[in-house]
Amino acid sequence: MAAIEVRELTKTYGEVVGIESLSFSVGKGEVFGFLGPNGAGKTTTIRVLLGLLSPTAGSAEVLGADVTSESDLIEAKRRIGYLPADLGFDEDVTGRRVLDYFASIRGDERRAELLEIFTPPLDREIREYSSGNRQMLGVIQAFMHDPDLVIMDEPTSGLDPLKQERFNEFVRAERDRGTTVFFSSHVLSEVRRVCDRVGILREGELVAAEDVESLVDRGGKRVRVQVGGEGSGLGDVEGATDVRRLGDEHRFAYAGDYGTLLAHLASYDVVDVEIAEPPLEDVFMHYYGGSEDSDGEGNESDAGEESGRAPEPASEPAGGDADA
């Protein structure tokens, strides 16, 4: 049984489509990245999976529970950790009180372990927290009851680079323990480091769902060649695209047979050559045609309104109904 199973899932707001006909599954012990720019429908999908929004059509199961059945979800939610995009902690209490509250609901057998990795100042009031400290507190509450499945919406938002890498190492270790992790992100380098597979969402529709390396391979290699002489026709080899010349360098993307490429280059006086994987950004933009903003500026609700898609609903406090 998959940890998450989604079949033709659709959520509309009146005549406006939030997500449409999504179908994918996430295996137990898998790290699955849900990738897309702000406004693509990532948060809507997560809220449907948690039973916080009712789907318009289709079906979904988390840990074997039907997301439309409140009674089925009650037991499943005890085995789920949830980190929303916007944390709703009470500003007037300390971080310790926040963790005590969630511990009273779900348990906290891993609290001490997590506090050695993520180090928010527990005895300060939340109003004094930086965005990074808020995020670390949110990560701790999501994992401290040792859930089987953790669902996170933009989990590294606000973390400095050192804490981001610590988070990535932690997620990889959780996968090795058998924890299933599903998280949305528009941080492409983060997805590449920790995910087994990714789903790419565009305007509410899933346009790809496969392992990260397959996505990168599909984008081909990036070739940079410097040759003695003119180099006329250097990019005229089957599989080469986006051929450009910059001074004495020739650059192009290549998705053909490497033996063919090397045989072709051997006919030139090659001074220098570099063949490298494409940046994941290039692969991502293949699905967006350069028309979407993947920088993460603004929020998902704003992006949805500007694109004519349904704005995402307001966020609920960390833990939300997943703690029921």
Side-chain angles (χ1 to χ4, degrees), residues 1-24:
M1 181 180 64
I4 298 175
E5 190 74 51
V6 175
R7 306 179 190 88
E8 298 295 319
L9 193 66
T10 296
K11 174 63 180 177
T12 60
Y13 305 88
E15 296 182 355
V16 182
V17 176
I19 55 175
E20 184 171 16
S21 299
L22 300 187
S23 294
F24 63 89

Side-chain angles (χ1 to χ4, degrees), residues 17-314:
V17 176
I19 55 175
E20 184 171 16
S21 299
L22 300 187
S23 294
F24 63 89
S25 64
V26 179
K28 290 185 176 180
E30 182 177 25
V31 179
F32 189 91
F34 207 43
L35 190 61
N38 294 327
K42 303 187 301 293
T43 297
T44 291
T45 304
I46 285 174
R47 288 177 179 151
V48 172
L49 291 178
L50 290 168
L52 304 174
L53 291 175
S54 298
T56 305
S59 64
E61 295 178 355
V62 291
L63 300 180
D66 183 346
V67 300
T68 63
S69 171
E70 184 176 352
S71 59
D72 285 356
L73 275 177
I74 288 176
E75 182 58 34
K77 284 181 177 180
R78 300 184 190 280
R79 299 156 53 205
I80 296 173
Y82 174 43
L83 179 69
D86 297 314
L87 299 167
F89 297 135
D90 186 337
E91 297 284 317
D92 297 323
V93 303
T94 64
R96 192 179 304 278
R97 286 282 302 276
V98 168
L99 295 185
D100 288 345
Y101 167 73
F102 286 112
S104 70
I105 298 173
R106 302 171 309 193
D108 65 345
E109 52 263 47
R110 298 187 66 190
R111 187 203 290 208
E113 171 196 350
L114 289 162
L115 284 171
E116 292 183 1
I117 303 171
F118 307 102
T119 56
L122 293 185
D123 294 318
R124 291 186 194 170
E125 292 184 348
I126 298 299
R127 68 174 66 258
E128 299 176 6
Y129 272 33
S130 66
S131 59
N133 282 330
R134 289 173 187 259
Q135 200 69 7
M136 286 191 291
L137 192 69
V139 170
I140 292 169
Q141 68 80 27
F143 281 92
M144 71 180 187
H145 61 297
D146 200 17
D148 297 323
L149 167 66
V150 180
I151 297 176
M152 298 181 285
D153 202 349
E154 302 286 353
T156 61
S157 175
L159 296 182
D160 64 40
L162 181 61
K163 285 295 192 292
Q164 286 183 23
E165 184 53 37
R166 189 170 297 178
F167 172 82
N168 292 338
E169 291 175 359
F170 173 73
V171 170
R172 288 191 290 264
E174 286 301 293
R175 175 183 56 200
D176 294 341
R177 294 181 71 247
T179 306
T180 305
V181 179
F182 178 96
F183 71 90
S184 75
S185 181
H186 59 260
V187 182
L188 306 177
S189 58
E190 171 181 87
V191 169
R192 178 75 181 275
R193 289 191 189 102
V194 302
C195 290
D196 300 303
R197 288 192 304 134
V198 298
I200 296 180
L201 200 63
R202 174 174 181 168
E203 296 181 347
E205 297 185 13
L206 195 68
V207 294
E210 54 188 301
D211 66 90
V212 175
E213 295 309 316
S214 293
L215 286 175
V216 172
D217 289 344
R218 182 179 298 176
K221 301 292 186 181
R222 295 300 180 265
V223 181
R224 180 186 61 80
V225 185
Q226 182 181 358
V227 298
E230 170 141 357
S232 177
L234 194 146
D236 296 338
V237 57
E238 184 176 357
T241 58
D242 191 24
V243 180
R244 292 173 292 161
R245 182 170 180 175
L246 300 173
D248 59 353
E249 283 189 358
H250 299 255
R251 299 183 182 185
F252 53 90
Y254 184 74
D257 176 75
Y258 293 127
T260 300
L261 173 63
L262 294 176
H264 177 70
L265 294 180
S267 63
Y268 292 86
D269 178 19
V270 176
V271 176
D272 188 27
V273 62
E274 179 182 32
I275 302 175
E277 289 188 344
L280 195 55
E281 285 83 355
D282 288 0
V283 180
F284 183 72
M285 293 311 294
H286 167 75
Y287 292 98
Y288 281 84
S291 62
E292 300 284 350
D293 175 16
S294 61
D295 295 331
E297 296 178 358
N299 58 55
E300 191 155 338
S301 297
D302 294 339
E305 290 169 357
E306 290 171 5
S307 66
R309 293 185 57 253
E312 302 284 9

